Amino acid sequence: MKNKIKKVFFFFKKPRNAIIAIIVIGLVLFFVFSHKKSTTGNLITIKRGSITQEVVVTGDITSSANLSLSFNQSGNISKVNVVTGDKVKPGDVLLMEDSSVLQAQLSQAEASVAASEANLGVLKQGATEEDISVSEAQVQSAESTLSDSQKSVVAVIKDAYTKADDAVHNEADQFFSNPKTNPQLIFSIGDEQLTINVEKERLNIESDFNSWNSMIENLSYSSDIHSAIKQTKLYLGDMQSFLTDAATALNELSPSGSVTQTTINTWRTDVASGRTEVGTAITNLSSAESNLNSAEAALTVAQKELALKQAPPTPDQVAAGVAAVNQAEAQVALIQAEINQTVLRSPIAGTITNVIPKKGELVTAGETVISVIGDNSLEVEAYVPEADVAKLSVGDKVDMNFDALPGENFTGHVVSIDPAETIISGVANYKTKVDFDNMDPRFKSGLTANLTIETQKKDGVLVIPQFAITQNDNGTFATKMVNGKEEQVPITLGLQDQNGNAEVLSGLSEGDQVVNIGLKP
């Protein structure tokens, strides 16, 4: 033992060895006391506080009302009221197409409305006394014409009888014996059947004359004129057939000892004259009948027109008049709508960004002719990565600042989140729109915006800094001081903010102390 002590003494007797020993002892003491100091001096006490979950992205100011305007119909530009950069209000006229043709059509349609309304008014009021008097006069005139036609028919029928009587009794009977009772030809021809026909027809005609004469004696214009015309046509038809056959028989007759050629020629001439008389009678009767029919039709029309004027309008007539007015008014509305479409107005308050056509140019329907961006419709558009989009909700509060307005902060709120992704550089992002809480006149489309979106906030929760948390394959842990000793405990985290804090859901309690493993002051 004494030898060992001597060896140590001699070791420290050398100056170099003594210095080395002192340094080693000092280092040991430093680490011992330093470890104790770090354990007790870098403890964090778990407290309750507020934690806010945020999503930070960058976006741009855009306009929700960036409109490209066009005409609904093709036409020539007649007026250009704005240039690029002009401020406009809703309803301001920007461009106009030539509407001269439509204006003329509108005037014509408006005249049709006036005429239809006037006709409807006349219909509802009924005919005036003057109109009724005119119609009554027309009826009287038609009645007079009809009476004259009826008298004319009676006269024609009587004249037809006279002509037929002369044609048969004076012109044809001269070559018959006993023509009225037992008619026989006084000459012979080779056609026995023709002879029989002619003689039989002559006997029947005498019966026609008797009936005809009886009808005429009782005939007046108030009689059944049409029946008399019909019967007279039958009588004249019989006469015509008889005279035709008689002429045929005479044409077959040759001179003989009892009949000379001169006599034959005379008979032929007389029969031809009789046939002419009957033909004339038939023509006159047809003409008189036609005039009678026309007179009767004219009277019927005049009577109906008078009755129509004397009677009040029917519901159907009034409805038809109203329909005519409505149709005319609809045409006016249609043309007016087409005229309105020749005037291009601004639908919003904003600024003109582009004017394409010049006065006189032809533009086609649907072709963009002018662009306008809304003044009060600016919003921020940003693309949120898929890792953060599930945290967002419509209505979330947004803090904003702009590179063009350094040092100033603005607020807004989320108004929409696209349900479908937008691929940017191969990564899925979701377009999100933010409205301003207060509009600033310095805002311009295209300004870059830095957005901090508050997605969730909790008050009165346990809060732990991120640098006091350990995460590995086994889970999430904190180093808790228990009875002066370090103990690693599993914890469950909730919300995490942008300042490096996290919500503790389980594993720690208020007042617990945990080690600052990051050794941050």
Side-chain angles (χ1 to χ4, degrees):
M1 183 67 178
K2 290 182 179 180
N3 291 331
K4 291 181 179 181
I5 294 173
K6 287 181 178 180
K7 289 179 180 180
V8 172
F9 176 78
F10 283 113
F11 177 81
F12 282 107
K13 189 174 181 181
K14 294 180 179 181
R16 180 180 177 183
N17 293 338
I19 294 172
I20 292 174
I22 292 171
I23 292 173
V24 170
I25 294 172
L27 289 174
V28 170
L29 292 176
F30 172 80
F31 281 113
V32 170
F33 287 103
S34 173
H35 175 70
K36 291 182 178 179
K37 182 178 180 181
S38 66
T39 302
T40 58
N42 286 285
L43 298 179
I44 299 170
T45 301
I46 301 301
K47 299 180 181 179
R48 292 191 179 274
S50 298
I51 191 165
T52 301
Q53 179 178 266
E54 298 171 332
V55 173
V56 177
V57 292
T58 301
D60 299 294
I61 294 181
T62 63
S63 174
S64 60
N66 191 357
L67 306 180
S68 296
L69 307 180
S70 61
F71 285 102
N72 290 332
Q73 56 191 16
S74 302
N76 292 96
I77 299 298
S78 62
K79 196 169 186 180
V80 179
N81 287 344
V82 292
V83 296
T84 299
D86 281 355
K87 292 286 187 180
V88 293
K89 303 184 300 296
D92 282 354
V93 176
L94 309 179
L95 299 172
M96 294 178 66
E97 290 180 322
D98 179 39
S99 62
S100 56
V101 174
L102 290 174
Q103 292 291 349
Q105 293 176 352
L106 178 63
S107 298
Q108 185 177 8
E110 288 173 340
S112 296
V113 171
S116 299
E117 289 175 339
N119 291 336
L120 179 59
V122 170
L123 179 64
K124 290 181 176 179
Q125 292 175 0
T128 63
E129 293 183 1
E130 290 79 4
D131 287 338
I132 293 175
S133 296
V134 170
S135 294
E136 288 175 340
Q138 291 174 341
V139 169
Q140 292 174 357
S141 176
E143 289 175 340
S144 176
T145 300
L146 177 59
S147 177
D148 292 341
S149 296
Q150 290 170 334
K151 292 176 181 179
S152 176
V153 169
V154 171
V156 168
I157 289 175
K158 290 180 178 180
D159 181 66
Y161 179 86
T162 301
K163 285 182 169 57
D165 178 72
D166 180 67
V168 174
H169 293 144
N170 295 329
E171 307 292 355
D173 279 358
Q174 55 185 320
F175 45 83
F176 281 92
S177 61
N178 299 317
K180 293 182 179 182
T181 57
N182 184 24
Q184 299 290 319
L185 287 172
I186 62 175
F187 56 82
S188 298
I189 59 175
D191 191 341
E192 183 177 352
Q193 185 59 51
L194 180 58
T195 301
I196 293 173
N197 291 342
V198 171
E199 292 174 346
K200 184 179 180 180
E201 288 172 343
R202 178 62 187 87
L203 180 62
N204 292 335
I205 282 176
E206 198 59 34
S207 176
D208 286 347
F209 275 122
N210 293 333
S211 299
W212 195 355
N213 185 61
S214 176
M215 181 188 73
I216 289 175
E217 288 179 352
N218 299 312
L219 184 62
S220 67
Y221 67 90
S222 61
S223 304
D224 187 354
I225 298 297
H226 288 283
S227 178
I229 292 173
K230 181 179 179 181
Q231 195 61 45
T232 300
K233 286 182 177 180
L234 294 176
Y235 295 149
L236 290 172
D238 291 344
M239 308 295 170
Q240 194 173 42
S241 296
F242 163 68
L243 292 173
T244 299
D245 288 343
T248 302
L250 290 174
N251 287 335
E252 294 185 7
L253 180 60
S254 299
S256 63
S258 58
V259 180
T260 64
Q261 186 62 51
T262 300
T263 301
I264 294 173
N265 292 340
T266 300
W267 288 345
R268 289 175 178 174
T269 300
D270 291 342
V271 169
S273 177
R275 292 177 67 188
T276 299
E277 287 186 286
V278 171
T280 300
I282 291 174
T283 301
N284 293 342
L285 182 62
S286 295
S287 178
E289 182 184 26
S290 177
N291 292 337
L292 175 65
N293 291 337
S294 297
E296 288 175 338
L299 177 60
T300 300
V301 171
Q303 289 171 335
K304 288 182 178 179
E305 289 180 351
L306 175 60
L308 183 63
K309 290 182 179 180
Q310 290 174 330
T314 65
D316 288 343
Q317 290 173 327
V318 174
V322 171
V325 172
N326 292 340
Q327 185 178 17
E329 289 176 340
Q331 184 65 19
V332 169
L334 176 62
I335 297 175
Q336 185 61 62
E338 292 179 351
I339 291 175
N340 293 341
Q341 290 177 355
T342 65
V343 180
L344 191 61
R345 299 177 182 272
S346 175
I348 59 173
T351 303
I352 301 298
T353 58
N354 192 19
V355 180
I356 299 175
K358 297 180 177 61
K359 182 177 180 180
E361 287 187 5
L362 175 65
V363 296
T364 59
E367 173 189 357
T368 297
V369 293
I370 199 165
S371 300
V372 58
I373 186 171
D375 287 340
N376 298 320
S377 56
L378 296 177
E379 60 187 10
V380 175
E381 188 176 281
Y383 288 89
V384 178
E386 61 178 331
D388 293 325
V389 72
K391 302 175 184 178
L392 269 60
S393 298
V394 172
D396 284 348
K397 178 183 175 183
V398 182
D399 291 323
M400 296 176 277
N401 60 73
F402 300 93
D403 295 344
L405 302 171
E408 299 187 59
N409 294 315
F410 304 90
T411 61
H413 56 279
V414 176
V415 292
S416 70
I417 305 168
D418 275 7
E421 76 280 6
T422 300
I423 303 300
I424 301 176
S425 299
V427 179
N429 289 265
Y430 292 80
K431 184 165 65 175
T432 301
K433 293 184 178 181
V434 176
D435 266 359
F436 294 100
D437 290 337
N438 295 291
M439 190 62 62
D440 192 295
R442 294 172 296 172
F443 292 159
K444 298 290 186 294
S445 178
L447 294 185
T448 300
N450 305 303
L451 309 181
T452 300
I453 305 173
E454 181 182 300
T455 61
Q456 195 173 357
K457 183 177 181 181
K458 290 184 178 180
D459 296 320
V461 298
L462 298 179
V463 177
I464 186 173
Q466 292 281 359
F467 46 76
I469 299 171
T470 300
Q471 289 181 316
N472 54 42
D473 293 341
N474 296 321
T476 303
F477 303 90
T479 303
K480 178 181 175 180
M481 294 301 297
V482 181
N483 297 324
K485 295 181 179 181
E486 297 180 0
E487 181 178 326
Q488 196 174 57
V489 297
I491 61 175
T492 303
L493 302 180
L495 298 184
Q496 300 180 37
D497 63 16
Q498 298 293 323
N499 297 320
N501 296 316
E503 174 193 9
V504 180
L505 298 177
S506 65
L508 295 174
S509 300
E510 185 176 5
D512 286 348
Q513 290 187 322
V514 296
V515 177
N516 179 352
I517 61 173
L519 300 179
K520 294 181 179 180

